[in-house]
């Protein structure tokens, strides 16, 4: 039997381009070790697709001459022959349903959330609206559009975020009105919609979810950042800035509640495949959902992989399971009459 062919999509147009390349490097290595035939497709910051990935040490193939804003030439040929596509793109134009839509159109099985769940999870404002509708406790926020006055009704500090980004890019903690104005201006450089969020003083936790219809939830891990006020970009990607405490130092009841809310959030947006659900446990002991990532950082040492490992699923098994889930969905939906 010839080995299963998998195509990894890496890079992408968002500011999380480099983070994606790291994830792709790790997944490529692990899938190759599992005996799969892996091809990588790199999307550069301008949105041009190339077969082969320079950043992974693989020579870009002939297609370097035919870089195109959509899969064409050698890229299209490589995609046509694969059994499953693994989008490892973080943020806009990758984690937000756009690439998932392209893969749906092409009729290709792919790993992770579908179009709707991807788009909802990418938008922190709409995500929380859906969760509120299901009675799931979320952090409170107000939403701003360009030109609207900033009417902050929360006590300082507050968090200010672009609605659709990740890796803490464009996010600030504002301690007074001047900082708030600067924070809103910064966030508007990244999106047309900005959230001003109530600050939750408490413990930050994350839960890994894996599955389609009947997903499992990992034990919650606690995010500890030493010498920093919050989990900003540097804390996320500089060595030794963040410590993942597993399991989180919260009560047994809070752990159970966090897992339950992670699964409910996953179901509320009809997510499939995987998700990392980021939450807070407030000083009062309440568990609040902050956001859900449908393509979390995915290296072997990323939080998501560590959470699933704590659940008893190692990196190789995790990848195999995700591919199975992708094929399961494709088969399940394949019988539908449209
Ligand atoms: N309401 C809040 N109260 C306290 N801290 C917050 C709040 N919102 C965000 N933070 C801090 O900012 C960090 C980044 O926020 P958030 O997770 O919403 O952004 P993100 O860029 O989408 O993150 P990710 O990299 O997980 O996709 C959080 O991990 C937390 O440390
Ligand atoms: Mg987060």
């Amino acid at each position: 039997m010839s080995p299963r062919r998998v195509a990894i999509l890496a890079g992408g147009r968002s500011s999380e381009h480099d983070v994606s390349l790291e994830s792709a490097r790790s997944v490529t290595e692990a899938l190759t070790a599992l005996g799969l035939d892996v091809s990588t497709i790199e999307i550069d910051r301008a949105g041009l697709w190339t077969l082969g990935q320079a950043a992974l040490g693989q020579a870009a193939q002939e297609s370097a001459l035919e870089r195109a804003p959509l899969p064409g030439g050698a890229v299209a040929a490589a995609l046509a022959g694969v059994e499953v596509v693994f989008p490892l793109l973080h943020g806009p134009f990758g984690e937000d349903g756009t690439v998932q839509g392209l893969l749906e159109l092409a009729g290709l099985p792919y790993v992770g959330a579908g179009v709707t769940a991807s788009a909802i999870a990418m938008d922190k404002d709409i995500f929380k609206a859906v969760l509120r509708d299901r009675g799931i406790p979320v952090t409170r926020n107000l939403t701003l559009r360009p030109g609207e006055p900033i009417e902050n009704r929360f006590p300082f500090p507050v968090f200010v975020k672009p609605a659709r980004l990740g890796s803490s890019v464009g996010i600030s903690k504002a301690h007074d009105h001047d900082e708030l104005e600067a924070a809103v201006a910064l966030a508007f450089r990244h999106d047309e919609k900005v959230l001003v969020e109530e600050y939750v003083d408490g413990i930050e936790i994350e839960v890994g979810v894996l599955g389609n219809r009947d997903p499992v939830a990992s034990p919650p891990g606690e995010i500890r950042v030493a010498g920093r006020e919050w989990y900003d970009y540097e804390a996320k990607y500089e060595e030794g800035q963040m410590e993942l405490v597993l399991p989180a130092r919260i009560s047994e009841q809070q752990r159970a509640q966090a897992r339950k809310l992670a699964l409910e959030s996953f179901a509320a947006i009809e997510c499939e495949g995987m998700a990392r659900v980021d939450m807070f446990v407030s000083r009062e002991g309440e568990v609040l959902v902050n956001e859900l990532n449908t393509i979390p950082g995915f290296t072997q040492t990323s939080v998501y992989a560590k959470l699933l490992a704590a659940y008893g699923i190692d990196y190789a098994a995790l990848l195999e399971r995700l591919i199975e889930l992708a094929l399961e969905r494709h088969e399940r939906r394949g019988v539908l009459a449209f």
Side-chain angles (χ1 to χ4, degrees), residues 116-138:
T116 308
S118 300
I120 295 174
M122 193 73 239
D123 187 317
K124 290 174 165 67
D125 178 49
I126 291 179
F127 171 70
K128 289 200 283 186
V130 172
L131 264 56
R132 274 193 300 270
D133 184 66
R134 302 291 197 279
I136 301 170
V138 294

Side-chain angles (χ1 to χ4, degrees), residues 48-228:
L48 300 182
W49 298 51
T50 317
L51 186 60
Q53 200 177 21
L56 292 182
Q58 296 179 359
Q61 301 180 9
E62 296 299 301
S63 63
L65 300 170
E66 48 188 56
R67 294 160 72 82
L70 279 170
V75 174
L79 276 176
V82 301
E83 207 172 339
V84 65
V85 179
F86 202 141
L88 275 166
L89 306 161
H90 308 301
F93 315 111
E95 193 177 350
D96 59 354
T98 50
V99 164
Q100 290 72 16
L102 186 67
L103 297 168
E104 289 283 347
L105 276 174
L108 286 166
Y110 58 94
V111 168
V115 174
T116 308
S118 300
I120 295 174
M122 193 73 239
D123 187 317
K124 290 174 165 67
D125 178 49
I126 291 179
F127 171 70
K128 289 200 283 186
V130 172
L131 264 56
R132 274 193 300 270
D133 184 66
R134 302 291 197 279
I136 301 170
V138 294
T139 50
R140 293 194 298 166
N141 71 279
L142 58 96
T143 306
L144 294 174
R145 302 285 182 172
E148 284 179 1
I150 309 169
E151 280 164 23
N152 176 30
R153 50 184 152 84
F154 306 121
F156 284 108
V158 289
F159 267 83
V160 181
K161 318 174 173 180
R164 296 154 287 208
L165 211 61
S167 287
S168 298
V169 174
I171 298 184
S172 316
K173 183 176 180 180
H175 302 80
D176 56 43
H177 194 79
D178 286 350
E179 284 187 15
L180 175 60
E181 279 187 347
V184 169
L186 171 70
F188 271 129
R189 286 175 52 193
H190 297 280
D191 203 338
E192 300 174 310
K193 184 160 69 166
V194 164
L195 276 71
V196 177
E197 226 174 69
E198 182 175 37
Y199 172 62
V200 184
D201 184 15
I203 295 172
E204 195 168 347
I205 58 169
E206 301 189 345
V207 172
V209 179
L210 175 69
N212 283 349
R213 291 296 163 82
D214 198 11
V216 298
S218 79
E222 175 183 340
I223 303 291
R224 279 206 50 185
V225 285
R228 280 179 191 279

Side-chain angles (χ1 to χ4, degrees), residues 6-54:
V6 179
I8 291 178
L9 301 183
R13 290 173 60 189
S14 86
S15 49
E16 293 180 280
H17 180 94
D18 293 339
V19 179
S20 160
L21 294 181
E22 287 293 327
S23 297
R25 196 171 291 134
S26 209
V27 171
T28 302
E29 218 174 87
L31 289 180
T32 305
L34 283 170
L36 278 76
D37 178 0
V38 186
S39 34
T40 49
I41 293 163
E42 183 180 335
I43 304 169
D44 72 12
R45 287 300 299 267
L48 300 182
W49 298 51
T50 317
L51 186 60
Q53 200 177 21

